[in-house]
Amino acid sequence: MWRALFVSLSRNRTMKERVMRWGFVWRAASRFVAGETLEDGLRAIRELEALGIRGILDHLGENVESEADANRATEDYLLALDRIETMRSGGSLALSSLPHLAVKLTHLGLDIHEELCERNLRRVIERAARAGTVVEIDMESSAYTERTLNLYRRLASEYPNTRIAIQAYLYRSREDVERLIEEGIARIRLCKGAYQEPPHLAYPRKRDVDASYVRLMERLLSAEARARGAYVAIATHDERIIQRALSRIREWEVPRDAFEFQMLYGIRRDLQAALARQGFTVRVYVPYGTEWYPYFMRRLGERPANVWFVVRNLFYA
Ligand SMILES: Cc1cc2nc3c(=O)[nH]c(=O)nc-3n(C[C@H](O)[C@H](O)[C@H](O)COP(=O)(O)OP(=O)(O)OC[C@H]3O[C@@H](n4cnc5c(N)ncnc54)[C@H](O)[C@@H]3O)c2cc1C
């Protein structure tokens, strides 16, 4: 109900135009968004690097409606990759801490034409490969799951520097994960899922989503999956699940190059730092850009307490 409200607000243009003009909303959003420019994103990446945490740069944007906008978004990603390469060659970022790039396929034109999207995605992945980094494909609502997986499949064998997000709340994810393992391309960011989905497609109850998450995580950490090249980014702030992951990792002697932890910018910084201090790879998803409204609405939908945070900014900023 709460999530449904905010996911629906995230798609409402009139609200978007109105809300984005209110300074106090931006002040609240800036807890989750590094800033409006690429330089803001890179500054956040450097700050994380100082704590031993790696980054994923996410240039905010989704559901573009024209080919020109999709091409512009692609150019922006290429520009970010140019900057990453310059930072690397200038020595201000170590190779091991080069940020990954997150992309949403509807930002690259999936709503307009699949071929346009594939062309743009290929350009970004090829450029990322030259820069020595990885492209992580975000998973959007279920309307896009099949097409996103198909595009990933077409490119993943050719480009090992690609990963895909899988949402534990979808019933289909169990089979999708099995297929990806079988095909030797299970390089997966495992998340719970942030959209509003109907009960015939996704578990409506949180406890079932959590159970599905643990099942998929354990499958991806298993020796059998690892023997087929599986890699899992455990993308959650759920401490119980993280503890479960840590005990399985110990018990099954999972090597550190077979998994990592991922969290969102501004959420559970304490946990991010604690895991990094223990020597685990921790990667934080750093969104930047002017199109922050839908991303921020999804973060509000995840946690009612965040709305009080917005209200506090109205009175105390
Ligand atoms: C790196 C990363 C990438 C992601 N990529 C995708 C994607 O491609 N597609 C997709 O659908 N979803 C994505 N998500 C979002 C994900 O699906 C969840 O909606 C989100 O992570 C919240 O779920 P949780 O696993 O943290 O567990 P929850 O059970 O929701 O939360 C566990 C705890 O985390 C903290 N927490 C969680 N959310 C918030 C919040 N908004 N504000 C403050 N505290 C919070 C709270 O302490 C909470 O008790 C991603 C998440 C991460 C971490």
Side-chain angles (χ1 to χ4, degrees), residues 196-252:
Q196 183 61 28
E197 299 294 354
H200 67 279
L201 294 179
Y203 295 103
R205 290 185 311 185
K206 178 171 162 44
R207 95 169 90 105
D208 296 328
V209 177
D210 292 355
S212 163
Y213 192 104
V214 170
R215 263 196 314 273
L216 296 174
M217 177 183 79
E218 293 187 345
R219 177 69 181 123
L220 287 162
L221 287 172
S222 70
E224 192 195 334
R226 279 185 280 122
R228 290 179 160 275
Y231 183 93
V232 60
I234 301 164
T236 182
H237 317 88
D238 187 326
E239 270 194 87
R240 278 193 322 126
I241 291 183
I242 291 171
Q243 283 312 324
R244 172 80 169 230
L246 291 173
S247 32
R248 288 291 181 251
I249 286 158
R250 265 193 306 271
E251 204 179 314
W252 297 343

Side-chain angles (χ1 to χ4, degrees), residues 50-97:
L51 301 169
I53 296 172
R54 301 178 191 184
I56 310 168
L57 261 183
D58 170 46
H59 179 223
L60 290 163
E62 52 200 87
N63 296 109
V64 298
E65 287 172 352
S66 73
E67 186 167 343
D69 284 346
N71 292 339
R72 201 167 306 121
T74 308
E75 293 302 327
D76 286 341
Y77 285 116
L78 298 177
L79 200 70
L81 287 162
D82 286 346
R83 284 285 288 121
I84 290 173
E85 203 168 33
T86 312
M87 285 167 85
R88 189 184 91 184
S89 49
S92 64
L93 263 185
L95 182 59
S96 61
S97 46

